[in-house]
Amino acid sequence: EFEKNLNKSDNIENTILKQKQLFSKNDLRKLHPTVSDSTIDRTLQRLRDEGKIMPIGAGRSSRWQVLVENKSFSQLDLFD
């Protein structure tokens, strides 16, 4: 239920950028069964065009590698 209310593309992007190792589209399908293949494809293409991920191989056996480091944000302390 919670996943259905989120922007699915942003949710896929968040999952992708947290990957520490190579991943495939099938891995994303298993993690997000309610997201269509076309949404996964669009998100992968957008991240590739932005230079955040890179494909290794071609076709069904292709794997993807994350090129950018996932930066974690910390809360600002305004009362120092």
Side-chain angles (χ1 to χ4, degrees), residues 45-78:
Q45 294 301 326
R46 181 175 53 82
L47 292 174
R48 186 192 70 190
D49 293 344
E50 292 174 1
K52 294 181 179 180
I53 61 173
M54 145 179 127
I56 298 175
R60 290 184 183 176
S61 64
S62 67
R63 311 281 291 168
W64 294 81
Q65 180 178 14
V66 177
L67 299 175
V68 295
E69 186 175 327
N70 189 18
K71 296 181 174 102
S72 60
F73 297 100
S74 60
Q75 186 174 357
L76 294 175
D77 189 7
L78 300 175

Side-chain angles (χ1 to χ4, degrees), residues 6-62:
L6 293 176
N7 182 338
K8 292 180 181 181
S9 182
D10 289 342
N11 199 8
I12 295 288
E13 179 179 354
N14 189 32
T15 299
I16 289 170
L17 295 179
K18 287 182 179 178
Q19 296 295 318
K20 303 263 189 248
Q21 56 197 16
L22 297 177
F23 64 93
S24 66
K25 279 190 350 184
N26 197 34
D27 296 335
L28 295 175
R29 283 187 201 109
K30 289 178 186 175
L31 292 170
H32 301 279
T34 61
V35 177
S36 70
D37 286 346
S38 60
T39 300
I40 293 173
D41 289 340
R42 265 194 316 270
T43 305
L44 287 170
Q45 294 301 326
R46 181 175 53 82
L47 292 174
R48 186 192 70 190
D49 293 344
E50 292 174 1
K52 294 181 179 180
I53 61 173
M54 145 179 127
I56 298 175
R60 290 184 183 176
S61 64
S62 67

